[in-house]
Amino acid sequence: MSEALKFPDGFKWGSATSAHQVEGGNHNDWTEWEKSPQRIAQLKKEEKDPYGFISGRACDSYNRYEEDFDIAQKLNHNIHRFSIEWSRIEPEEGKFNEKELEHYKRLIDALCDRGIEPMVTLWHFTNPVWFAEKGGFLNKKSPEYFTRFAKYVVDNLKDRVRLWITFNEGASVYAGFSYLNGQWPPQRRSLFEYLKVRKNFIKAHILAYGEIKKISTSHNFFSAMRASQKSSTLCNAGASHNVEIGIVESNVYNAHGNRWYEKIIGRIYGYQRNLYFFDKALPYYDFIGLNYYHVDRRVPGSYRILPRQGWMPEMGWETYPKGIYYCLMKLKKFKKPIYVTENGIADAKDEQREKFIKEHLRWIWQAIHDGVDAHGYLYWSLLDNFEWHHGFEPRFGLVEMDYATLERKIRSSAFEYSKICKENALNF
Ligand code: BGC
């Protein structure tokens, strides 16, 4: 007999991308770094084909977003997460580019026209060059710089967008890669800088949160309604009266042994890795965005408790669907709605993706059943895209990209996922 696991009414289904990974044609600290001698030196011999590691035109989604959103619509998605590229909006310090703002307005309207709610990330790993030259998030004025940009964007898009995210994985992933292990620009290795950057992310988030809330509450809801009623294209008519601002962090399943010292180390590490930002930024966020991918075995003794689980060779990650359940249950204590803002598998052959999605959804369903206030699931990613220091090799997409022709081809797992989206239920 088949079993159906129903998700709550209004649960959102979709996928996510980020500007630098799909748009193409960007100019920011990453594009500068991709071609720098330090970066080239980092590549292994067999990776010397520079094009595989230079974002370049990526998926050209800057020009082809309508085609992308047609696919998302066809796949029954009703939410889509993307990011606005700060370096396009503010290419020079304090000078905002209205043409780029108009571009993002059209992009949002294209989503709304297709019945897909936009979820907008304001920062997803990349910085304008001027900001990076000032020290990026090490600069003590970085919270003000970021907030100035965030205010400009929200002020101009507040009638169109309800769900905003300040930072994607600032404290959990970016600070570590960029300031502790030296893999990402600016390739620093300093505990002191790492801690400072994390603090500045928190300050920046709290400052931006306050300013965005001021804009959204001082905004006249009725005039927004009138303006938006004139246009049938807006799916979020008068969105500004209930703007919600969230934080996205990556959480891992923090496996550890059960000896007393392993438990203590596990607790400290788990807090720093998964919960730090959510804890420090309380109460200044309206929802939590959880990105979940894999197991982390940095704490000793874990194999005694949890044998090796699944494997994602394209990333070298150990997968563990039940881990998302444990992460969600830990996040419950913050008493905020939760969206799974990223979860996905790099799987070029599309052999494991359907199973991966279904198994994670099964555990998300369980978490909801056990009291977690989950509001949506966004698969990472809609398209194969530029996977940061791994280049174009890992294939996370529901849609396969032919980078030579830019042709998009929907993978069969995407159709399986689309059934779940349509039925708001997982059928076995
Ligand atoms: C990031 C994405 C990335 C994905 C897979 C997340 O940490 O937000 O940009 O592509 O993981 O590595």
Side-chain angles (χ1 to χ4, degrees):
M1 212 180 66
S2 74
E3 190 194 351
L5 302 180
K6 263 309 275 152
F7 282 76
D9 289 343
F11 193 84
K12 293 278 186 180
W13 296 99
S15 60
T17 61
S18 90
H20 188 73
Q21 295 178 272
V22 300
E23 281 184 351
N26 277 312
H27 180 224
N28 55 34
D29 61 341
W30 263 84
T31 57
E32 290 287 292
W33 178 74
E34 286 159 19
K35 48 183 199 236
S36 70
Q38 303 91 287
R39 167 56 171 158
I40 309 285
Q42 213 188 41
L43 293 174
K44 294 189 208 104
K45 263 208 183 62
E46 63 275 17
E47 294 174 338
K48 285 294 182 214
D49 167 15
Y51 296 105
F53 298 89
I54 288 182
S55 53
R57 68 175 178 174
C59 309
D60 193 31
S61 291
Y62 184 82
N63 298 306
R64 292 167 199 248
Y65 61 86
E66 289 185 89
E67 191 182 337
D68 296 344
F69 300 162
D70 281 343
I71 295 175
Q73 182 184 32
K74 184 169 169 182
L75 294 175
N76 302 314
H77 295 187
N78 58 21
I79 191 165
H80 181 72
R81 174 175 171 234
F82 68 96
S83 72
I84 288 188
E85 177 62 31
W86 183 1
S87 62
R88 287 188 187 274
I89 299 289
E90 194 181 355
E92 284 176 60
E93 188 183 346
K95 293 194 182 144
F96 295 103
N97 184 330
E98 277 180 39
K99 264 175 64 190
E100 293 292 357
L101 185 74
E102 290 305 314
H103 163 81
Y104 286 112
K105 280 187 187 166
R106 287 193 297 276
L107 186 147
I108 292 166
D109 290 348
L111 281 172
C112 293
D113 284 346
R114 289 164 179 77
I116 301 174
E117 172 154 22
M119 180 185 249
V120 180
T121 312
L122 288 163
W123 182 92
H124 197 126
F125 299 157
T126 54
N127 299 307
V129 174
W130 65 263
F131 177 77
E133 280 171 357
K134 281 178 178 290
F137 283 96
L138 268 180
N139 188 315
K140 68 172 189 307
K141 284 177 81 183
S142 55
E144 287 149 51
Y145 296 131
F146 173 76
T147 300
R148 180 175 59 188
F149 153 71
K151 254 173 89 173
Y152 176 79
V153 172
V154 177
D155 204 15
N156 283 286
L157 301 179
K158 59 184 179 286
D159 294 337
R160 288 171 160 81
V161 179
R162 179 176 67 103
L163 297 171
W164 294 91
I165 289 156
T166 50
F167 293 110
N168 177 73
E169 303 181 347
S172 51
V173 171
Y174 174 83
F177 272 126
S178 292
Y179 291 91
L180 203 55
N181 75 16
Q183 250 184 310
W184 287 3
Q187 289 190 271
R188 308 287 306 162
R189 284 166 187 263
S190 152
L191 180 62
F192 171 74
E193 290 181 1
Y194 164 78
L195 296 172
K196 199 163 165 195
V197 162
R198 298 213 313 169
K199 282 217 165 105
N200 280 338
F201 273 121
I202 291 163
K203 284 188 188 158
H205 170 81
I206 293 175
L207 189 64
Y209 180 89
E211 292 298 325
I212 295 174
K213 281 288 180 186
K214 269 191 225 156
I215 302 173
S216 72
T217 48
S218 67
H219 181 61
N220 185 330
F221 171 61
F222 294 103
S223 67
M225 279 299 276
R226 270 195 303 276
S228 55
Q229 272 158 8
K230 283 186 201 144
S231 154
S232 57
T233 61
L234 302 185
C235 59
N236 280 316
S240 59
H241 78 295
N242 59 356
V243 157
E244 291 177 28
I245 306 152
I247 298 169
V248 167
E249 279 287 59
S250 142
N251 278 13
V252 287
Y253 177 72
N254 171 31
H256 59 80
N258 59 355
R259 294 184 180 144
W260 65 268
Y261 57 90
E262 293 165 344
K263 285 196 203 158
I264 294 175
I265 304 171
R267 183 167 290 193
I268 296 170
Y269 179 68
Y271 174 81
Q272 290 298 331
R273 178 62 178 76
N274 291 343
L275 307 176
Y276 170 79
F277 205 145
F278 297 127
D279 191 34
K280 295 288 178 201
L282 264 180
Y284 304 108
Y285 52 95
D286 305 318
F287 65 89
I288 284 175
L290 166 67
N291 294 352
Y292 174 79
Y293 290 92
H294 59 88
V295 180
D296 186 317
R297 292 193 183 265
R298 242 163 276 214
V299 183
S302 69
Y303 285 104
R304 268 188 273 113
I305 305 298
L306 183 79
R308 172 81 163 253
Q309 300 294 306
W311 192 241
M312 193 195 296
E314 288 175 39
M315 294 299 285
W317 285 347
E318 183 182 349
T319 56
Y320 181 41
K322 193 175 180 184
I324 201 168
Y325 171 81
Y326 292 122
C327 289
L328 286 165
M329 293 304 279
K330 287 228 162 90
L331 293 172
K332 199 171 138 183
K333 70 169 182 196
F334 296 115
K335 298 193 169 52
K336 303 278 181 185
I338 304 177
Y339 289 84
V340 175
T341 37
E342 286 182 33
N343 172 238
I345 181 167
D347 174 24
K349 295 196 180 131
D350 203 31
E351 287 166 348
Q352 297 188 55
R353 189 170 282 100
E354 177 188 342
K355 187 161 172 262
F356 179 97
I357 295 175
K358 288 186 171 167
E359 288 184 347
H360 284 81
L361 286 174
R362 197 242 165 280
W363 284 110
I364 294 169
W365 180 90
Q366 187 64 49
I368 295 171
H369 185 260
D370 293 344
V372 168
D373 187 19
H375 286 212
Y377 175 83
L378 292 91
Y379 176 82
W380 182 271
S381 172
L382 179 61
L383 310 170
D384 288 341
N385 60 44
F386 181 71
E387 182 48 42
W388 306 111
H389 63 290
H390 297 282
F392 286 106
E393 206 51 38
R395 302 279 184 154
F396 276 94
L398 292 171
V399 177
E400 183 183 340
M401 279 291 311
D402 180 331
Y403 290 109
T405 61
L406 295 175
E407 193 197 330
R408 279 105 163 111
K409 203 164 132 209
I410 303 177
R411 292 196 162 103
S412 61
S413 57
F415 289 110
E416 292 305 316
Y417 175 49
S418 80
K419 289 183 201 157
I420 302 171
C421 302
K422 185 168 180 202
E423 289 159 12
N424 197 32
L426 178 61
N427 289 295
F428 289 101

